Amino acid sequence: MDKLAAYLDTINGWVWGWPLIILLFGTHLFLTVRTGFIQRYIGRMIKLSVAKDEGGEGDVSHFGALTTALAATIGTGNIFGVAGAVAIGGPGAVLWMWLTGVFGIATKYAEAVLAVKYRVKREDGLMGGGPMYVLERGMNCKWLGVVFAAFTALAAFGIGNMIQSNTLTGMVERISASAEGVPTIPSWVVGLVLTVLTGAVILGGVKSIAKVCSFLVPIMAVGYVVGCIVLLCMRISVIPETIATIFSSAFAGHAAVGGFAGAAIKQVIQMGIARGLFSNESGLGSAPIVAAAARTANPVRQALVSASATFWDTVVICAITGLVIVSSGEWMHVSGKQALAEAAFRDLPGGGFILTFGLATFVFSTILGWSYYGERAAEYLCGKWIILPYRILWVIAVMLPTLDASGTVALVWNLGDILNGLMAIPNLVSLLVLSGVIAAETRRYRGELTGHPADSHE
């Protein structure tokens, strides 16, 4: 297991080298310009996300599609992903994660525009969409759509399943073992509960998933953010210094435990952008799959709603988590993503509860959201017969890493990173090639940007 983890770590370094970093962040910047700096309409995005649906075909409401996407997006990356970026890249990685989120809003918007434009109605009456359909119908390149779908169906088991359950169950076992007067809770017990709950929801398909996520996501996000703000208020005196450290080390490097060797700045940027993608998934191609299922009047309207997910996930939640971790000062003394996160939150009264609440709800919601992504990708490859077997495998996979939560951490995180990078490549290619279509659709429905849909033209 250790040799395999080391091998995957080497591959991960190749996949997340400078070429992919430049491709990803460069696409964010390019689409920001191509869409006329769509980020300036963030107020409109948020307003639309809670507005009532206005006609259009689809399987779920646009709020249901948004919360399902947020459920898949807000996960361990928002806590342990941020901690891992700081542990390896230092405080400056938080700024690069944040910038990935700010500019990634344009990419998330562009993905949804194409997903809705090129979606299809399947024989069962449900919508099918996502980068695989964009690559097939928009670029006339089905083989690349097959490649994307294959990577997605496999990546889902990493980023959206085993990483999530492994992280949660391992943390619960460690915390319960160290607490006085509390019996140790074996990881398999937590895994079993998580497995049962997952199976109960995903058997109902996208409508069941969207219903649960519409209820769960607002509660978990608001609860975690409010809790973190309370923690930051307790450390208010060090917040200015914390922000200064994040900005200065983003461009000059800053030694974490053991210091940096050689390419310090590369590590800062690499970890920030990689963990930013892991968290907000802008450019990954996952969120457009559920965006294509939304009831919407036009592609731009749903794209604005979808883009707000990146704002909440990275610009807000990851930034707050980063401030909590860096302000604790534990990054100078504690190594390892999990140990660092737990130490940073444990320093303050109630911090352990906030961490546990956030991680437990984030993990469950992510497993639900990604089950839909993986299932749709598998169906694109194999047809409807694969749906039930895939769901069964999905539920089993939730339980597998919990049987050895401490021994599989490095393995599942590296595997998740590798597959994320591989599925992002064909999606980013489609965004760049079809950027003219994205710009044309934005002009066509320009009234949606200003709040006057009547100004749009067919």
Side-chain angles (χ1 to χ4, degrees):
M1 187 69 73
D2 290 340
K3 289 182 179 179
L4 178 59
Y7 180 67
L8 290 176
D9 186 57
T10 300
I11 297 177
N12 189 26
W14 293 340
V15 172
W16 279 103
W18 278 111
L20 181 55
I21 289 176
I22 293 172
L23 176 63
L24 175 63
F25 204 70
T27 300
H28 289 349
L29 295 175
F30 174 74
L31 291 174
T32 293
V33 175
R34 203 75 170 91
T35 59
F37 201 81
I38 201 70
Q39 291 90 335
R40 61 197 170 110
Y41 298 106
I42 187 62
R44 174 69 174 162
M45 296 175 189
I46 296 172
K47 182 179 178 179
L48 278 176
S49 67
V50 296
K52 186 178 180 180
D53 296 331
E54 295 184 3
E57 293 185 303
D59 308 327
V60 297
S61 68
H62 59 225
F63 182 72
L66 172 63
T67 52
T68 300
L70 274 172
T73 302
I74 301 176
T76 58
N78 293 84
I79 301 177
F80 287 163
V82 176
V86 174
I88 299 175
V94 175
L95 178 61
W96 286 104
M97 286 189 73
W98 189 79
L99 289 174
T100 300
V102 170
F103 291 106
I105 290 173
T107 301
K108 186 67 71 74
Y109 166 86
E111 290 175 312
V113 166
L114 296 179
V116 175
K117 180 174 178 60
Y118 293 111
R119 67 183 180 176
V120 299
K121 180 177 284 190
R122 304 179 311 188
E123 293 181 358
D124 58 6
L126 298 178
M127 292 294 180
M132 50 276 201
Y133 291 91
V134 172
L135 288 161
E136 177 184 347
R137 303 182 70 228
M139 286 181 55
N140 194 29
C141 197
K142 184 172 182 177
W143 72 269
L144 201 53
V146 170
V147 169
F148 172 85
F151 285 144
T152 301
L154 294 174
F157 284 98
I159 182 176
N161 191 317
M162 291 188 290
I163 285 177
Q164 308 296 327
S165 60
N166 177 277
T167 303
L168 174 63
T169 55
M171 187 192 75
V172 171
E173 185 175 50
R174 287 192 304 275
I175 291 178
S176 61
S178 61
E180 295 183 4
V182 178
T184 300
I185 303 176
S187 60
W188 70 265
V189 173
V190 182
L192 182 61
V193 173
L194 194 59
T195 300
V196 171
L197 291 175
T198 299
V201 176
I202 69 171
L203 290 178
V206 65
K207 294 183 179 180
S208 174
I209 294 171
K211 183 177 180 180
V212 173
C213 292
S214 295
F215 171 78
L216 179 62
V217 168
I219 294 175
M220 74 179 195
V222 172
Y224 178 74
V225 169
V226 170
C228 286
I229 290 175
V230 171
L231 296 183
L232 290 174
C233 288
M234 296 180 186
R235 294 178 180 151
I236 192 67
S237 61
V238 300
I239 297 304
E241 180 184 352
T242 297
I243 295 174
T245 299
I246 289 173
F247 273 82
S248 63
S249 59
F251 302 98
H254 202 304
V257 178
F260 286 127
I265 299 303
K266 179 183 177 181
Q267 281 186 303
V268 175
I269 297 174
Q270 182 181 32
M271 289 310 302
I273 293 179
R275 289 292 173 245
L277 174 63
F278 182 88
S279 177
N280 63 52
E281 300 175 15
S282 294
L284 196 60
S286 52
I289 297 175
V290 72
R295 289 190 295 271
T296 185
N298 57 69
V300 168
R301 187 179 183 85
Q302 180 56 38
L304 290 170
V305 174
S306 297
S308 68
T310 298
F311 171 79
W312 293 118
D313 176 85
T314 307
V315 179
V316 176
I317 296 178
C318 281
I320 289 176
T321 302
L323 286 174
V324 170
I325 291 172
V326 178
S327 66
S328 71
E330 294 290 351
W331 56 274
M332 293 184 286
H333 313 292
V334 179
S335 60
K337 63 176 76 72
Q338 296 181 355
L340 175 56
E342 291 169 20
F345 279 85
R346 191 173 56 236
D347 282 351
L348 296 171
F353 171 78
I354 294 170
L355 176 62
T356 303
F357 168 80
L359 191 62
T361 53
F362 289 4
V363 161
F364 181 52
S365 68
T366 297
I367 290 174
L368 296 182
W370 266 92
S371 70
Y372 178 73
Y373 296 161
E375 180 184 304
R376 291 280 75 79
E379 183 183 8
Y380 179 84
L381 294 171
C382 305
K384 289 184 63 176
W385 69 268
I386 197 67
I387 293 178
L388 182 58
Y390 192 90
R391 290 177 181 175
I392 294 173
L393 286 174
W394 187 265
V395 174
I396 294 173
V398 173
M399 188 66 188
L400 283 179
T402 69
L403 301 177
D404 182 21
S406 62
T408 55
V409 175
L411 179 66
V412 296
W413 275 87
N414 280 325
L415 183 60
D417 270 350
I418 292 168
L419 292 172
N420 285 356
L422 292 177
M423 68 181 284
I425 294 172
N427 179 58
L428 293 172
V429 168
S430 72
L431 293 173
L432 294 173
V433 172
L434 298 174
S435 62
V437 175
I438 297 165
E441 290 295 295
T442 302
R443 291 192 299 269
R444 181 182 182 186
Y445 298 105
R446 63 181 181 274
E448 293 287 1
L449 306 179
T450 60
H452 301 91
D455 293 340
S456 299
H457 59 88
E458 296 295 333

